[in-house]
Amino acid sequence: MKYTVLTLFPEITDAFFASSIMAKAIQRGIIEYQAVNIRDFALDKHKTCDDAPYGGGPGMLMLPEPLGRALQAAGGAGRRICLSPSGRPFNQAMARELAGEKELILLCGRYEGIDQRIIDLYIDDEVSVGDYVLSSGEAAALVIIDATYRLIDKVICRESLEEESFSGGLLEYPQYTRPEIYDTLKVPEVLLSGHHEHIRKWRLEKRVEKTLKLRPDLISFGKEQGLFNGEINSIIDRQILADREGDKQ
């Protein structure tokens, strides 16, 4: 996978690619990274990349000429994505989809946004990382990069991904490590038992419990889409019934 990031502030994304697991993935040749500084393609000596919007209104828009030249210079046949709060919502399913691409070309907006003609001429997808507004398209780009690169083969152990939140339609179970007692709280006995089947069942029940509590919409979606097997459906039904009985008392 190659990530090409078009930005006014390449130092923001440079730091991410130089750190932690990502740096190791680059060293091993699994990931490639290119930062394209949009200011390098500005027309004037001041490297101006923004101007007032036609029709009036607050703020400034990124100019089309530097952006167009930067996109042309980036080249490649990758999927071109503009980070925008008005784009399609980003989720784990989209992360898996994008992780299958050979290259992602990520355009980071600033100010009030970018000239629509750039989107019309060059962009394949507008993507939003959440129902909120960021001042930095770089922050949004890093969300997409972080969520996708870890799904690429050989970056992270495959077993580590299998029971994460959103895998199989459920959130992840609670995790514990040493010491056995912290403050007054003890690690659940089942995790100390060494009984693998009991541990598996406990973790599955906790996944369902946590999802029902924090993201019941995922349970509804999973049932509609047939994501759950008989064991999970049984646990869901049992916990819903127990919650209802508890409400009556």
Side-chain angles (χ1 to χ4, degrees):
M1 164 74 87
K2 179 179 180 181
Y3 293 97
T4 298
V5 181
L6 284 76
T7 170
L8 294 171
F9 300 95
E11 62 273 15
I12 295 176
T13 52
D14 287 350
F16 181 84
F17 282 88
S19 304
S20 190
I21 298 173
M22 175 60 89
K24 294 177 182 177
I26 289 177
Q27 291 170 3
R28 292 162 59 197
I30 302 170
I31 302 294
E32 293 182 61
Y33 165 63
Q34 175 189 15
V36 178
N37 191 334
I38 297 166
R39 292 193 190 279
D40 292 342
F41 300 90
L43 296 170
D44 65 338
K45 64 179 181 180
H46 300 295
K47 302 293 184 180
T48 303
C49 288
D50 63 293
D51 206 339
Y54 280 119
M60 305 288 275
L61 287 178
M62 294 180 71
L63 292 164
E65 291 97 336
L67 285 172
R69 280 197 292 274
L71 283 159
Q72 291 169 9
R79 190 159 166 181
R80 295 183 291 269
I81 294 173
C82 176
L83 288 310
S84 166
S86 60
R88 290 197 296 137
F90 184 67
N91 55 26
Q92 190 67 18
M94 189 186 293
R96 287 190 289 267
E97 174 192 338
L98 295 180
E101 298 283 341
K102 292 184 177 180
E103 180 181 7
L104 295 180
I105 300 172
L106 303 168
L107 174 56
C108 302
R110 282 272 172 168
Y111 317 122
E112 287 296 310
I114 69 175
D115 191 295
Q116 180 64 37
R117 290 168 292 186
I118 290 296
I119 296 172
D120 295 340
L121 289 170
Y122 294 102
I123 298 302
D124 299 313
D125 280 306
E126 288 185 83
V127 175
S128 168
V129 297
D131 292 341
Y132 45 82
V133 178
L134 299 170
S135 60
S136 166
E138 290 77 17
L142 289 176
V143 168
I144 290 179
I145 292 165
D146 195 87
T148 55
Y149 92 95
R150 60 193 307 281
L151 300 177
I152 295 168
D153 191 34
K154 299 181 181 178
V155 171
I156 293 178
C157 171
R158 183 59 51 185
E159 290 77 10
S160 297
L161 305 175
E162 289 179 353
E163 293 184 340
E164 288 187 323
S165 292
F166 307 112
S167 65
L170 298 172
L171 301 180
E172 190 173 12
Y173 48 79
Q175 300 266 28
Y176 300 86
T177 187
R178 292 180 177 83
E180 282 187 29
I181 300 175
Y182 171 70
D183 197 355
T184 60
L185 302 178
K186 192 175 187 300
V187 174
E189 287 294 337
V190 66
L191 299 179
L192 307 174
S193 69
H195 195 299
H196 297 300
E197 180 60 12
H198 288 175
I199 291 171
R200 183 195 70 80
K201 289 182 177 179
W202 179 88
R203 285 175 168 170
L204 185 57
E205 288 177 358
K206 288 299 180 181
R207 293 187 74 190
V208 171
E209 179 183 304
K210 188 173 184 179
T211 308
L212 279 169
K213 179 180 179 181
L214 300 178
R215 292 293 304 274
D217 57 302
L218 293 178
I219 296 292
S220 299
F221 179 79
K223 279 186 166 291
E224 290 172 4
Q225 299 296 314
L227 299 181
F228 306 137
N229 60 26
E231 182 183 21
I232 294 173
N233 278 317
S234 177
I235 295 171
I236 291 170
D237 294 340
R238 186 170 69 248
Q239 291 193 11
I240 289 175
L241 179 61
D243 289 342
R244 288 173 179 169
E245 292 296 326
D247 289 342
K248 292 177 182 179
Q249 295 176 2

